[in-house]
Coordinates of all heavy atoms in Angstrom, one line a residue:
F4 N -1.0 -56.3 100.2 CA -1.0 -56.2 98.7 C -0.6 -54.8 98.2 O -0.7 -53.8 98.9 CB -2.4 -56.5 98.3 CG -2.8 -58.0 98.5 CD1 -3.4 -58.4 99.6 CD2 -2.5 -58.9 97.5 CE1 -3.8 -59.7 99.8 CE2 -2.8 -60.3 97.7 CZ -3.4 -60.7 98.9
V5 N -0.2 -54.8 97.0 CA 0.2 -53.6 96.3 C -1.0 -52.9 95.7 O -1.8 -53.5 95.0 CB 1.3 -53.9 95.3 CG1 1.7 -52.7 94.5 CG2 2.5 -54.6 95.9
G6 N -1.0 -51.5 95.9 CA -2.1 -50.8 95.2 C -2.0 -50.8 93.7 O -0.9 -51.0 93.2
A7 N -3.1 -50.7 93.0 CA -3.2 -50.8 91.6 C -2.3 -49.8 90.9 O -1.8 -50.0 89.8 CB -4.6 -50.7 91.1
H8 N -2.1 -48.6 91.5 CA -1.3 -47.6 90.9 C 0.2 -47.9 90.9 O 1.0 -47.2 90.2 CB -1.5 -46.2 91.6 CG -1.3 -46.2 93.1 ND1 -2.3 -46.8 93.9 CD2 -0.3 -45.8 93.8 CE1 -1.8 -46.6 95.2 NE2 -0.6 -46.0 95.1
Y9 N 0.6 -49.0 91.6 CA 2.0 -49.4 91.5 C 2.2 -50.5 90.5 O 3.4 -51.0 90.3 CB 2.4 -49.9 92.9 CG 2.5 -48.9 94.0 CD1 1.6 -48.8 95.0 CD2 3.6 -47.9 93.9 CE1 1.7 -47.8 96.0 CE2 3.7 -46.9 94.9 CZ 2.7 -46.9 95.9 OH 2.8 -45.9 96.8
L10 N 1.2 -51.0 89.9 CA 1.3 -52.1 89.0 C 1.4 -51.7 87.5 O 0.7 -50.8 87.1 CB 0.0 -53.0 89.1 CG -0.3 -53.7 90.4 CD1 -1.6 -54.4 90.4 CD2 0.9 -54.5 90.9
P11 N 2.4 -52.3 86.8 CA 2.5 -51.9 85.4 C 1.2 -52.4 84.7 O 0.5 -53.3 85.1 CB 3.7 -52.6 84.9 CG 4.0 -53.7 85.9 CD 3.4 -53.2 87.2
G12 N 0.9 -51.8 83.5 CA -0.3 -52.2 82.8 C -0.5 -53.6 82.5 O -1.6 -54.2 82.7
E13 N 0.6 -54.3 82.2 CA 0.4 -55.8 81.9 C 0.1 -56.6 83.1 O -0.6 -57.6 83.0 CB 1.7 -56.3 81.2 CG 3.0 -56.3 82.0 CD 3.7 -55.0 82.1 OE1 3.2 -54.0 81.6 OE2 4.9 -55.0 82.6
V14 N 0.5 -56.2 84.3 CA 0.1 -56.9 85.5 C -1.4 -56.5 85.9 O -2.2 -57.4 86.2 CB 1.0 -56.6 86.7 CG1 0.5 -57.2 88.0 CG2 2.4 -57.1 86.3
H15 N -1.7 -55.3 85.8 CA -3.0 -54.8 86.1 C -4.1 -55.4 85.2 O -5.1 -55.8 85.7 CB -3.0 -53.2 86.0 CG -4.3 -52.6 86.5 ND1 -4.7 -52.6 87.8 CD2 -5.3 -52.1 85.8 CE1 -5.9 -52.0 87.9 NE2 -6.3 -51.7 86.7
K16 N -3.7 -55.6 84.0 CA -4.7 -56.2 83.0 C -4.6 -57.7 83.0 O -5.3 -58.4 82.2 CB -4.4 -55.7 81.6 CG -4.7 -54.2 81.5 CD -4.2 -53.7 80.1 CE -4.3 -52.2 80.0 NZ -3.7 -51.7 78.8
K17 N -3.7 -58.3 83.8 CA -3.5 -59.7 83.9 C -3.1 -60.3 82.5 O -3.5 -61.4 82.1 CB -4.7 -60.5 84.4 CG -5.0 -60.0 85.8 CD -6.2 -60.7 86.4 CE -6.4 -60.1 87.8 NZ -7.6 -60.6 88.4
E18 N -2.2 -59.6 81.8 CA -1.7 -60.1 80.5 C -0.4 -60.9 80.8 O 0.7 -60.5 80.5 CB -1.4 -58.9 79.6 CG -2.7 -58.1 79.2 CD -2.4 -56.9 78.4 OE1 -1.3 -56.3 78.5 OE2 -3.3 -56.4 77.7
W19 N -0.6 -62.1 81.3 CA 0.5 -62.9 81.7 C 1.4 -63.3 80.5 O 2.6 -63.5 80.7 CB 0.0 -64.1 82.5 CG -0.9 -63.8 83.6 CD1 -2.2 -64.3 83.7 CD2 -0.7 -62.9 84.6 NE1 -2.8 -63.7 84.8 CE2 -1.9 -62.9 85.4 CE3 0.3 -62.1 85.0 CZ2 -2.1 -62.1 86.6 CZ3 0.2 -61.3 86.2 CH2 -1.0 -61.3 86.9
H20 N 0.8 -63.4 79.3 CA 1.6 -63.8 78.1 C 2.6 -62.6 77.8 O 3.7 -62.9 77.3 CB 0.7 -64.1 77.0 CG -0.1 -62.9 76.5 ND1 -1.2 -62.4 77.2 CD2 0.1 -62.1 75.4 CE1 -1.7 -61.4 76.5 NE2 -1.0 -61.1 75.5
V21 N 2.2 -61.4 78.1 CA 3.1 -60.3 77.8 C 4.2 -60.3 78.8 O 5.4 -60.1 78.4 CB 2.3 -58.9 77.9 CG1 3.3 -57.7 77.8 CG2 1.2 -58.8 76.9
I22 N 3.9 -60.6 80.1 CA 5.0 -60.7 81.1 C 5.9 -61.8 80.8 O 7.2 -61.7 80.8 CB 4.3 -60.9 82.5 CG1 3.5 -59.6 82.8 CG2 5.4 -61.2 83.5 CD1 2.6 -59.8 84.0
A23 N 5.4 -63.0 80.4 CA 6.2 -64.2 80.1 C 7.1 -63.9 78.9 O 8.2 -64.4 78.8 CB 5.3 -65.4 79.8
G24 N 6.6 -63.1 77.9 CA 7.4 -62.8 76.7 C 8.3 -61.7 76.8 O 9.2 -61.5 75.9
G25 N 8.3 -60.9 77.9 CA 9.1 -59.8 78.1 C 10.4 -60.1 78.9 O 10.5 -61.2 79.3
P26 N 11.2 -59.1 79.0 CA 12.4 -59.4 79.9 C 12.1 -59.6 81.3 O 11.1 -59.1 81.8 CB 13.2 -58.1 79.7 CG 12.3 -57.1 79.1 CD 11.2 -57.8 78.5
A27 N 12.9 -60.4 82.0 CA 12.6 -60.8 83.4 C 12.5 -59.6 84.3 O 11.8 -59.6 85.3 CB 13.6 -61.7 83.9
W28 N 13.2 -58.5 84.0 CA 13.2 -57.3 84.8 C 12.2 -56.2 84.5 O 12.2 -55.2 85.1 CB 14.6 -56.7 84.8 CG 15.2 -56.7 83.4 CD1 16.1 -57.6 82.9 CD2 15.0 -55.8 82.3 NE1 16.5 -57.4 81.6 CE2 15.7 -56.3 81.2 CE3 14.2 -54.7 82.2 CZ2 15.7 -55.6 80.0 CZ3 14.2 -54.1 81.0 CH2 14.9 -54.5 79.9
A29 N 11.3 -56.5 83.6 CA 10.4 -55.4 83.1 C 9.5 -54.9 84.2 O 9.3 -53.7 84.4 CB 9.6 -55.9 81.9
V30 N 9.0 -55.8 85.0 CA 8.1 -55.4 86.1 C 8.9 -54.7 87.2 O 8.4 -53.7 87.8 CB 7.3 -56.6 86.7 CG1 6.5 -56.2 88.0 CG2 6.4 -57.2 85.7
D31 N 10.1 -55.1 87.4 CA 11.0 -54.5 88.4 C 11.3 -53.1 87.9 O 11.5 -52.1 88.8 CB 12.3 -55.3 88.6 CG 12.0 -56.6 89.3 OD1 11.0 -56.7 90.0 OD2 12.8 -57.5 89.1
A32 N 11.5 -52.9 86.6 CA 11.8 -51.5 86.1 C 10.7 -50.6 86.4 O 10.9 -49.5 86.9 CB 12.0 -51.6 84.6
W33 N 9.4 -51.1 86.3 CA 8.3 -50.2 86.6 C 8.3 -49.9 88.1 O 8.1 -48.7 88.5 CB 7.0 -51.0 86.3 CG 5.8 -50.2 86.5 CD1 5.1 -50.0 87.6 CD2 5.1 -49.3 85.5 NE1 4.0 -49.2 87.5 CE2 4.0 -48.7 86.2 CE3 5.3 -49.0 84.2 CZ2 3.1 -47.9 85.5 CZ3 4.4 -48.2 83.6 CH2 3.4 -47.6 84.2
G34 N 8.6 -50.9 88.9 CA 8.6 -50.6 90.4 C 9.7 -49.7 90.8 O 9.5 -48.8 91.6
L35 N 10.8 -49.7 90.1 CA 11.9 -48.8 90.4 C 11.5 -47.4 90.0 O 11.7 -46.4 90.7 CB 13.2 -49.2 89.7 CG 14.4 -48.2 89.9 CD1 14.7 -48.1 91.3 CD2 15.6 -48.7 89.1
G36 N 10.8 -47.2 88.9 CA 10.2 -45.9 88.5 C 9.3 -45.4 89.5 O 9.3 -44.2 89.8
C37 N 8.4 -46.2 90.1 CA 7.5 -45.8 91.1 C 8.3 -45.3 92.4 O 7.9 -44.3 93.0 CB 6.5 -46.9 91.5 SG 5.4 -47.4 90.2
F38 N 9.3 -46.1 92.7 CA 10.1 -45.8 93.9 C 10.8 -44.4 93.7 O 10.8 -43.6 94.6 CB 11.1 -46.9 94.1 CG 12.1 -46.6 95.2 CD1 11.6 -46.7 96.6 CD2 13.4 -46.3 95.0 CE1 12.5 -46.5 97.6 CE2 14.2 -46.1 96.1 CZ 13.8 -46.2 97.4
I39 N 11.4 -44.2 92.5 CA 12.0 -42.9 92.2 C 11.1 -41.8 92.3 O 11.4 -40.7 92.9 CB 12.7 -43.0 90.8 CG1 13.9 -43.9 90.8 CG2 13.1 -41.6 90.3 CD1 14.5 -44.2 89.5
Q40 N 9.9 -41.9 91.8 CA 8.9 -40.9 91.9 C 8.6 -40.5 93.3 O 8.5 -39.4 93.7 CB 7.6 -41.3 91.2 CG 6.4 -40.3 91.2 CD 6.7 -39.0 90.6 OE1 6.7 -38.0 91.3 NE2 6.9 -39.0 89.3
E41 N 8.4 -41.5 94.2 CA 8.1 -41.3 95.6 C 9.2 -40.7 96.3 O 9.0 -39.8 97.2 CB 7.6 -42.6 96.2 CG 6.2 -43.0 95.7 CD 5.6 -44.1 96.5 OE1 6.3 -44.8 97.2 OE2 4.4 -44.3 96.4
V42 N 10.4 -41.1 96.0 CA 11.6 -40.6 96.7 C 11.7 -39.1 96.5 O 11.9 -38.3 97.4 CB 12.9 -41.3 96.3 CG1 14.1 -40.5 96.7 CG2 12.9 -42.7 96.9
F43 N 11.6 -38.7 95.2 CA 11.8 -37.3 94.9 C 10.6 -36.4 95.1 O 10.7 -35.2 95.3 CB 12.3 -37.1 93.5 CG 13.8 -37.6 93.3 CD1 14.0 -38.8 92.7 CD2 14.8 -36.9 93.9 CE1 15.4 -39.3 92.7 CE2 16.1 -37.3 93.8 CZ 16.4 -38.5 93.2
R44 N 9.4 -37.0 95.1 CA 8.2 -36.3 95.4 C 8.1 -36.1 96.9 O 7.5 -35.1 97.3 CB 7.0 -37.2 94.9 CG 5.7 -37.0 95.6 CD 4.7 -38.1 95.2 NE 4.4 -38.0 93.8 CZ 3.5 -37.1 93.3 NH1 2.9 -36.3 94.0 NH2 3.3 -37.1 92.0
G45 N 8.6 -37.0 97.7 CA 8.6 -36.9 99.1 C 7.3 -37.4 99.8 O 7.1 -37.2 101.0
S46 N 6.5 -38.1 99.0 CA 5.3 -38.7 99.6 C 4.9 -39.8 98.7 O 5.3 -40.0 97.5 CB 4.2 -37.7 99.7 OG 3.8 -37.2 98.4
A47 N 4.0 -40.7 99.2 CA 3.5 -41.8 98.5 C 2.6 -41.4 97.3 O 1.9 -40.4 97.4 CB 2.7 -42.8 99.4
M48 N 2.6 -42.1 96.3 CA 1.7 -41.9 95.1 C 0.3 -42.3 95.5 O 0.2 -43.3 96.3 CB 2.2 -42.7 93.9 CG 3.4 -42.2 93.3 SD 3.9 -43.1 91.8 CE 3.0 -44.6 91.8
T49 N -0.7 -41.7 94.9 CA -2.0 -42.1 95.2 C -2.7 -42.6 93.9 O -3.8 -43.2 93.9 CB -2.9 -41.0 95.8 OG1 -2.8 -39.8 95.0 CG2 -2.4 -40.7 97.2
E50 N -2.1 -42.2 92.7 CA -2.7 -42.7 91.5 C -1.6 -42.8 90.4 O -0.5 -42.1 90.5 CB -3.8 -41.7 91.0 CG -3.4 -40.3 90.9 CD -4.6 -39.4 90.6 OE1 -5.5 -39.3 91.5 OE2 -4.6 -38.8 89.5
V51 N -1.8 -43.6 89.4 CA -0.7 -43.9 88.4 C -0.4 -42.7 87.6 O 0.7 -42.5 87.1 CB -1.2 -45.1 87.5 CG1 -2.3 -44.7 86.6 CG2 0.0 -45.7 86.8
S52 N -1.3 -41.8 87.4 CA -1.1 -40.6 86.6 C 0.1 -39.7 87.2 O 0.7 -38.9 86.5 CB -2.3 -39.7 86.4 OG -2.8 -39.2 87.7
Q53 N 0.3 -39.8 88.5 CA 1.4 -39.1 89.1 C 2.8 -39.5 88.6 O 3.7 -38.7 88.7 CB 1.4 -39.2 90.6 CG 0.1 -38.6 91.2 CD 0.0 -38.9 92.7 OE1 0.1 -40.1 93.1 NE2 -0.3 -37.9 93.5
L54 N 2.9 -40.6 87.9 CA 4.2 -41.0 87.3 C 4.6 -40.1 86.2 O 5.7 -40.1 85.8 CB 4.1 -42.5 86.9 CG 4.0 -43.5 88.0 CD1 3.7 -44.9 87.4 CD2 5.3 -43.6 88.8
R55 N 3.6 -39.4 85.6 CA 3.9 -38.5 84.5 C 4.5 -37.1 85.0 O 4.9 -36.3 84.2 CB 2.7 -38.2 83.7 CG 2.2 -39.5 83.0 CD 1.1 -39.1 82.0 NE 0.7 -40.3 81.2 CZ -0.4 -40.9 81.4 NH1 -1.3 -40.5 82.3 NH2 -0.7 -42.0 80.7
E56 N 4.4 -36.9 86.3 CA 4.8 -35.6 86.9 C 6.4 -35.7 87.0 O 6.9 -36.4 87.8 CB 4.1 -35.4 88.2 CG 2.6 -35.2 88.1 CD 1.9 -35.2 89.4 OE1 2.6 -35.1 90.5 OE2 0.7 -35.2 89.4
L57 N 7.0 -34.8 86.3 CA 8.5 -34.8 86.3 C 9.1 -33.7 87.1 O 10.4 -33.7 87.2 CB 9.0 -34.8 84.8 CG 8.5 -35.8 83.9 CD1 9.0 -35.6 82.5 CD2 8.9 -37.2 84.4
G58 N 8.3 -32.8 87.7 CA 8.9 -31.7 88.4 C 9.9 -31.9 89.5 O 10.8 -31.2 89.6
A59 N 9.7 -33.0 90.2 CA 10.6 -33.3 91.3 C 11.7 -34.2 90.9 O 12.7 -34.3 91.7 CB 9.8 -34.0 92.5
I60 N 11.7 -34.8 89.8 CA 12.7 -35.7 89.3 C 13.9 -34.9 88.8 O 13.7 -34.0 87.9 CB 12.2 -36.6 88.2 CG1 10.9 -37.3 88.5 CG2 13.3 -37.6 87.7 CD1 11.0 -38.4 89.6
P61 N 15.1 -35.1 89.3 CA 16.3 -34.4 88.8 C 16.4 -34.6 87.2 O 16.2 -35.7 86.7 CB 17.5 -35.0 89.5 CG 16.9 -35.6 90.7 CD 15.5 -36.1 90.3
Q62 N 16.8 -33.5 86.6 CA 16.9 -33.5 85.1 C 17.8 -34.7 84.6 O 17.5 -35.3 83.6 CB 17.5 -32.2 84.6 CG 17.5 -32.0 83.1 CD 16.1 -32.0 82.5 OE1 15.2 -31.4 83.1 NE2 15.9 -32.5 81.3
V63 N 18.9 -35.0 85.3 CA 19.8 -36.0 84.9 C 19.1 -37.4 84.9 O 19.6 -38.3 84.2 CB 21.1 -36.0 85.7 CG1 20.8 -36.4 87.2 CG2 22.2 -36.8 85.1
L64 N 18.0 -37.6 85.6 CA 17.3 -38.8 85.7 C 16.1 -38.9 84.8 O 15.6 -40.0 84.5 CB 16.8 -39.1 87.1 CG 17.8 -39.3 88.2 CD1 17.1 -39.4 89.6 CD2 18.6 -40.6 87.9
T65 N 15.6 -37.8 84.3 CA 14.3 -37.8 83.6 C 14.2 -38.7 82.4 O 13.3 -39.5 82.4 CB 14.0 -36.3 83.1 OG1 14.1 -35.5 84.2 CG2 12.7 -36.2 82.4
Q66 N 15.2 -38.7 81.5 CA 15.1 -39.6 80.4 C 15.1 -41.1 80.8 O 14.2 -41.9 80.3 CB 16.2 -39.3 79.4 CG 16.1 -40.1 78.1 CD 17.2 -39.8 77.1 OE1 18.2 -39.1 77.5 NE2 17.0 -40.3 75.9
D67 N 16.0 -41.5 81.6 CA 16.0 -42.9 82.1 C 14.8 -43.3 82.9 O 14.2 -44.4 82.8 CB 17.3 -43.2 82.9 CG 18.5 -43.3 82.0 OD1 18.4 -43.4 80.7 OD2 19.6 -43.2 82.5
Y68 N 14.3 -42.3 83.7 CA 13.1 -42.5 84.5 C 11.9 -42.9 83.6 O 11.2 -43.8 83.8 CB 12.8 -41.3 85.4 CG 11.4 -41.2 85.9 CD1 11.1 -42.0 87.0 CD2 10.4 -40.4 85.4 CE1 9.8 -41.9 87.6 CE2 9.2 -40.3 85.9 CZ 8.9 -41.1 87.0 OH 7.6 -41.1 87.5
Q69 N 11.8 -42.1 82.5 CA 10.7 -42.3 81.6 C 10.9 -43.7 80.9 O 9.9 -44.4 80.6 CB 10.6 -41.2 80.5 CG 10.1 -39.9 81.2 CD 10.2 -38.8 80.2 OE1 11.2 -38.6 79.5 NE2 9.2 -37.9 80.2
R70 N 12.1 -44.1 80.6 CA 12.3 -45.4 80.0 C 12.0 -46.6 80.9 O 11.6 -47.6 80.5 CB 13.8 -45.5 79.5 CG 14.0 -44.5 78.3 CD 15.4 -44.6 77.8 NE 15.8 -45.9 77.3 CZ 17.0 -46.4 77.4 NH1 18.0 -45.7 77.9 NH2 17.2 -47.7 77.0
L71 N 12.2 -46.4 82.2 CA 11.8 -47.4 83.2 C 10.3 -47.7 83.2 O 9.9 -48.8 83.4 CB 12.2 -47.0 84.6 CG 13.7 -47.0 84.9 CD1 13.9 -46.3 86.3 CD2 14.2 -48.4 85.0
L72 N 9.5 -46.6 82.8 CA 8.1 -46.7 82.9 C 7.4 -46.8 81.5 O 6.2 -46.6 81.4 CB 7.6 -45.4 83.6 CG 8.0 -45.3 85.0 CD1 7.7 -43.9 85.5 CD2 7.3 -46.3 85.9
G73 N 8.2 -47.3 80.6 CA 7.6 -47.5 79.2 C 6.4 -48.4 79.2 O 6.3 -49.3 80.0
S74 N 5.4 -48.1 78.3 CA 4.2 -48.9 78.3 C 4.5 -50.3 77.7 O 3.7 -51.2 77.9 CB 3.1 -48.2 77.5 OG 3.6 -47.9 76.1
Q75 N 5.5 -50.4 76.9 CA 5.9 -51.7 76.3 C 7.0 -52.4 77.2 O 8.1 -51.9 77.2 CB 6.4 -51.6 74.9 CG 5.3 -51.0 74.0 CD 5.8 -50.9 72.6 OE1 6.7 -51.6 72.2 NE2 5.3 -49.9 71.9
P76 N 6.7 -53.4 77.9 CA 7.7 -54.1 78.8 C 9.0 -54.4 78.1 O 10.1 -54.2 78.7 CB 7.0 -55.3 79.3 CG 5.6 -55.1 79.1 CD 5.4 -54.2 77.9
S77 N 8.9 -54.8 76.8 CA 10.2 -55.2 76.1 C 11.1 -54.0 75.9 O 12.3 -54.2 75.6 CB 9.8 -55.9 74.8 OG 9.1 -54.9 74.0
K78 N 10.6 -52.8 76.0 CA 11.4 -51.6 75.7 C 11.8 -50.8 77.0 O 12.4 -49.8 76.9 CB 10.6 -50.7 74.8 CG 10.5 -51.3 73.4 CD 9.9 -50.3 72.4 CE 9.8 -50.9 71.0 NZ 9.3 -50.0 70.0
R79 N 11.4 -51.4 78.1 CA 11.8 -50.7 79.4 C 13.3 -50.8 79.6 O 13.9 -51.8 79.3 CB 11.0 -51.3 80.6 CG 9.6 -50.9 80.6 CD 8.9 -51.3 81.8 NE 7.4 -51.2 81.6 CZ 6.5 -52.1 81.9 NH1 6.9 -53.2 82.5 NH2 5.3 -51.8 81.6
L80 N 13.8 -49.9 80.3 CA 15.2 -49.8 80.6 C 15.5 -50.9 81.7 O 14.8 -51.0 82.7 CB 15.6 -48.4 81.1 CG 17.0 -48.2 81.5 CD1 18.0 -48.4 80.4 CD2 17.2 -46.8 82.0
N81 N 16.6 -51.6 81.5 CA 17.0 -52.6 82.5 C 17.5 -51.8 83.8 O 18.4 -51.0 83.7 CB 18.2 -53.4 81.9 CG 18.6 -54.5 82.9 OD1 18.6 -54.4 84.1 ND2 19.1 -55.6 82.3
P82 N 16.9 -52.1 84.9 CA 17.3 -51.4 86.2 C 18.7 -51.5 86.5 O 19.3 -50.5 87.0 CB 16.4 -52.0 87.2 CG 15.2 -52.6 86.5 CD 15.8 -53.0 85.2
A83 N 19.3 -52.6 86.2 CA 20.8 -52.8 86.5 C 21.6 -51.8 85.6 O 22.5 -51.2 86.1 CB 21.2 -54.2 86.2
H84 N 21.2 -51.7 84.4 CA 21.9 -50.7 83.5 C 21.7 -49.3 83.9 O 22.6 -48.5 83.9 CB 21.5 -50.9 82.0 CG 21.9 -52.2 81.4 ND1 21.4 -52.7 80.2 CD2 22.7 -53.2 81.9 CE1 21.9 -53.9 80.0 NE2 22.7 -54.2 80.9
F85 N 20.5 -49.0 84.3 CA 20.2 -47.7 84.8 C 21.1 -47.3 86.0 O 21.7 -46.2 86.0 CB 18.7 -47.7 85.3 CG 18.3 -46.4 86.0 CD1 18.2 -45.2 85.4 CD2 18.0 -46.5 87.4 CE1 17.8 -44.1 86.1 CE2 17.6 -45.4 88.1 CZ 17.5 -44.1 87.4
L86 N 21.2 -48.2 87.0 CA 22.0 -47.9 88.2 C 23.5 -47.8 87.9 O 24.2 -47.1 88.6 CB 21.7 -48.9 89.3 CG 20.3 -48.9 89.8 CD1 20.0 -50.1 90.8 CD2 20.0 -47.6 90.5
K87 N 23.9 -48.6 86.9 CA 25.4 -48.5 86.5 C 25.7 -47.4 85.6 O 26.8 -46.8 85.7 CB 25.8 -49.8 85.8 CG 25.8 -51.0 86.7 CD 26.2 -52.3 86.0 CE 26.1 -53.5 86.9 NZ 26.4 -54.7 86.1
K88 N 24.8 -47.0 84.7 CA 25.2 -46.0 83.7 C 24.7 -44.6 84.0 O 25.3 -43.6 83.5 CB 24.6 -46.4 82.4 CG 25.0 -47.8 81.9 CD 26.5 -47.8 81.6 CE 26.9 -49.2 81.1 NZ 28.3 -49.4 80.9
N89 N 23.6 -44.4 84.7 CA 23.2 -43.0 85.0 C 24.1 -42.3 85.9 O 24.5 -42.8 87.0 CB 21.8 -43.0 85.5 CG 21.2 -41.6 85.5 OD1 21.5 -40.8 86.4 ND2 20.2 -41.4 84.6
P90 N 24.6 -41.1 85.5 CA 25.6 -40.3 86.3 C 25.1 -40.0 87.7 O 25.9 -39.8 88.6 CB 25.8 -39.1 85.5 CG 24.8 -39.0 84.5 CD 24.2 -40.4 84.3
F91 N 23.8 -40.0 87.9 CA 23.2 -39.6 89.2 C 23.6 -40.7 90.2 O 23.8 -40.5 91.4 CB 21.7 -39.5 89.2 CG 21.1 -39.0 90.4 CD1 21.0 -37.6 90.7 CD2 20.6 -39.8 91.4 CE1 20.5 -37.1 91.8 CE2 20.0 -39.3 92.5 CZ 19.9 -38.0 92.8
Y92 N 23.6 -42.0 89.8 CA 23.9 -43.1 90.7 C 25.3 -43.7 90.5 O 25.8 -44.5 91.3 CB 22.9 -44.3 90.4 CG 21.5 -43.9 90.9 CD1 20.5 -43.6 89.9 CD2 21.2 -43.8 92.2 CE1 19.3 -43.2 90.4 CE2 20.0 -43.5 92.6 CZ 19.0 -43.2 91.7 OH 17.7 -42.8 92.1
N93 N 26.0 -43.3 89.4 CA 27.3 -43.8 89.2 C 28.3 -42.9 90.0 O 29.0 -42.1 89.5 CB 27.6 -43.7 87.7 CG 28.9 -44.4 87.3 OD1 29.5 -45.1 88.1 ND2 29.2 -44.3 86.0
T94 N 28.4 -43.3 91.3 CA 29.3 -42.5 92.2 C 30.2 -43.5 93.0 O 29.9 -44.7 93.0 CB 28.5 -41.7 93.2 OG1 27.7 -42.6 94.0 CG2 27.5 -40.7 92.4
K95 N 31.1 -42.9 93.7 CA 32.0 -43.8 94.5 C 31.2 -44.4 95.7 O 31.4 -45.5 96.1 CB 33.1 -42.9 95.1 CG 34.1 -42.4 94.1 CD 35.1 -43.4 93.8 CE 36.2 -42.8 92.8 NZ 36.8 -43.8 92.1
L96 N 30.2 -43.6 96.2 CA 29.4 -44.1 97.3 C 28.6 -45.3 96.8 O 28.5 -46.3 97.5 CB 28.4 -43.0 97.8 CG 27.4 -43.5 98.9 CD1 28.1 -44.0 100.1 CD2 26.4 -42.4 99.2
N97 N 28.0 -45.3 95.6 CA 27.3 -46.4 95.1 C 28.2 -47.6 94.9 O 27.8 -48.7 95.2 CB 26.7 -46.0 93.8 CG 25.7 -47.1 93.3 OD1 24.9 -47.5 94.1 ND2 25.8 -47.5 92.1
D98 N 29.5 -47.4 94.5 CA 30.4 -48.5 94.4 C 30.7 -49.1 95.7 O 30.8 -50.4 95.8 CB 31.7 -48.0 93.8 CG 31.6 -47.5 92.3 OD1 30.6 -47.9 91.7 OD2 32.5 -46.8 91.9
V99 N 30.8 -48.4 96.8 CA 31.0 -48.9 98.1 C 29.8 -49.7 98.6 O 29.9 -50.8 99.1 CB 31.4 -47.8 99.1 CG1 31.4 -48.3 100.5 CG2 32.7 -47.1 98.8
V100 N 28.6 -49.2 98.4 CA 27.4 -49.8 98.8 C 27.3 -51.2 98.1 O 26.9 -52.2 98.7 CB 26.2 -48.9 98.6 CG1 24.9 -49.7 98.8 CG2 26.2 -47.7 99.5
V101 N 27.5 -51.2 96.8 CA 27.4 -52.4 96.0 C 28.5 -53.4 96.5 O 28.2 -54.6 96.6 CB 27.6 -52.1 94.5 CG1 27.8 -53.4 93.7 CG2 26.4 -51.3 94.0
F102 N 29.7 -52.9 96.8 CA 30.7 -53.8 97.3 C 30.3 -54.4 98.7 O 30.6 -55.6 98.9 CB 32.0 -53.0 97.5 CG 33.1 -53.8 98.2 CD1 33.8 -54.7 97.5 CD2 33.4 -53.6 99.5 CE1 34.8 -55.5 98.1 CE2 34.4 -54.3 100.1 CZ 35.1 -55.3 99.4
L103 N 29.7 -53.6 99.5 CA 29.3 -54.2 100.8 C 28.2 -55.2 100.7 O 28.0 -56.1 101.4 CB 28.9 -53.0 101.8 CG 30.0 -52.0 102.1 CD1 29.4 -50.9 102.9 CD2 31.1 -52.7 102.9

């Protein structure tokens, strides 16, 4: 099972109507934000408040990272758009990996 600190608020609170009414990728956006935090932090998170720590996140990712973790699921950044549009991930290597 996934630790509570990895769950977006609407899942943690069991607000299934919010999930059903939001975009299909809203929960995935939150998960991607958690993943980004752990990758750049270099260790696993132990509490949800660590998502607010931006020190290890590259500046070019900060704004989009925060949009992935928005408290309103309907306003979270679509992970597909994030990976296509953010200059950190918009590279030739990423194009090759997607192709493969």
Side-chain angles (χ1 to χ4, degrees):
F4 290 94
V5 176
H8 54 284
Y9 292 108
L10 300 176
E13 65 275 12
V14 174
H15 186 69
K16 296 174 189 171
K17 299 179 181 175
E18 295 175 337
W19 309 124
H20 66 284
V21 174
I22 296 168
W28 39 260
V30 173
D31 294 334
W33 184 274
L35 179 58
C37 292
F38 179 71
I39 289 170
Q40 178 62 244
E41 290 189 343
V42 165
F43 290 104
R44 154 188 298 280
S46 62
M48 294 184 338
T49 57
E50 54 188 67
V51 73
S52 64
Q53 292 173 315
L54 291 170
R55 292 190 179 108
E56 298 172 7
L57 303 177
I60 309 290
Q62 186 68 32
V63 69
L64 292 177
T65 302
Q66 185 177 11
D67 286 344
Y68 165 78
Q69 290 174 317
R70 291 180 58 211
L71 288 168
L72 297 167
S74 60
Q75 297 178 29
S77 61
K78 294 187 177 182
R79 287 189 194 134
L80 179 61
N81 183 327
H84 293 168
F85 169 70
L86 294 173
K87 288 179 185 175
K88 303 292 183 189
N89 190 285
F91 189 85
Y92 292 106
N93 191 4
T94 65
K95 296 276 186 204
L96 176 60
N97 191 47
D98 292 343
V99 170
V100 170
V101 169
F102 173 76
L103 296 174

